[in-house]
Amino acid sequence: ALLDAWDLLKRYRWRFIVPAFALSAIALAVSLFVPRVYSSNATFERRHQTVVTEIGGVPTGRTARESRAAVLNEIKNPAAIDRVLELISPELYSAGLVNSPADVAQLRFEIARHSSVVFEFSDSERDVVRVTFKSSHPRTAQLVVQELVNDYIAAERRHLESRMDQSAGFFRSEVT
């Protein structure tokens, strides 16, 4: 059976080679005209219980589902996207990646539409979160993801510092 197939292939080889070559050439030609899409990813780990909660012994009161929804909202909300655009717009203008406020508005729409936040792993202590953005330019994709994550971390740090200040104020008022 294997020898019969080999004989058949040898006898009609041009009927196999020409269509395979033609299909490969068509696939190559089509791929040259399809726009390139670059994807940038950032992964970070987020603990459920903050240091303040561990010290104070008071749980946050949020369920895991509410906590995840809050993370999604904090990373992709319009205010966060505006802060990111404010930070990266000068570099995008200087690199010629955006040329007008209309381009920035289009990028704002693309960030809202093409960015994703995925929980890769979750357990009782932590979440592993991946932020992804797809763009037609690699530097734009990289800057957007980097600043979305940096903005989220900075907001969480401000929130934690506020809670730490509240706890310190409480301890000071109890001691004096």
Side-chain angles (χ1 to χ4, degrees):
L2 190 56
L3 290 175
D4 292 337
W6 181 251
D7 288 336
L8 188 66
L9 183 62
K10 282 175 50 178
R11 184 179 308 159
Y12 298 108
R13 66 178 168 255
W14 294 112
R15 289 186 185 178
F16 294 109
I17 293 173
V18 171
F21 178 76
L23 289 175
S24 298
I26 290 170
L28 177 64
V30 168
S31 70
L32 292 175
F33 295 106
V34 174
R36 293 189 173 111
V37 176
Y38 298 92
S39 179
S40 184
N41 301 305
T43 304
F44 64 94
E45 185 174 302
R46 180 180 166 276
R47 290 185 56 193
H48 289 278
Q49 297 295 324
T50 62
V51 175
V52 174
T53 303
E54 292 170 357
I55 292 172
V58 180
T60 60
R62 284 197 220 175
T63 65
R65 176 178 283 161
E66 291 169 341
S67 178
R68 287 188 193 105
V71 170
L72 291 171
N73 184 44
E74 290 165 10
I75 292 176
K76 286 185 62 172
N77 72 50
I81 293 172
D82 288 341
R83 286 190 300 271
V84 165
L85 285 171
E86 187 178 315
L87 288 170
I88 67 172
S89 287
E91 185 172 339
L92 294 176
Y93 274 109
S94 67
L97 298 174
V98 295
N99 298 315
S100 68
D103 292 342
V104 175
Q106 177 64 28
L107 181 57
R108 177 181 289 111
F109 173 75
E110 288 177 11
I111 293 171
R113 186 164 186 228
H114 297 294
S115 61
S116 66
V117 180
V118 176
F119 289 85
E120 291 187 339
F121 174 78
S122 293
D123 64 15
S124 62
E125 296 178 10
R126 66 187 178 279
D127 291 325
V128 176
V129 182
R130 181 173 33 99
V131 179
T132 303
F133 177 66
K134 295 180 180 178
S135 175
S136 59
H137 193 274
R139 184 67 179 144
T140 303
Q142 178 189 14
L143 284 171
V144 167
V145 168
Q146 185 176 9
E147 290 305 325
L148 281 173
V149 172
N150 285 343
D151 183 68
Y152 172 75
I153 291 171
E156 285 297 304
R157 183 173 286 139
R158 286 190 300 273
H159 178 70
L160 180 60
E161 287 172 356
S162 169
R163 290 185 63 194
M164 293 288 281
D165 289 343
Q166 289 174 354
S167 294
F170 171 76
F171 288 134
R172 274 190 230 112
S173 69
E174 291 298 314
V175 170
T176 58

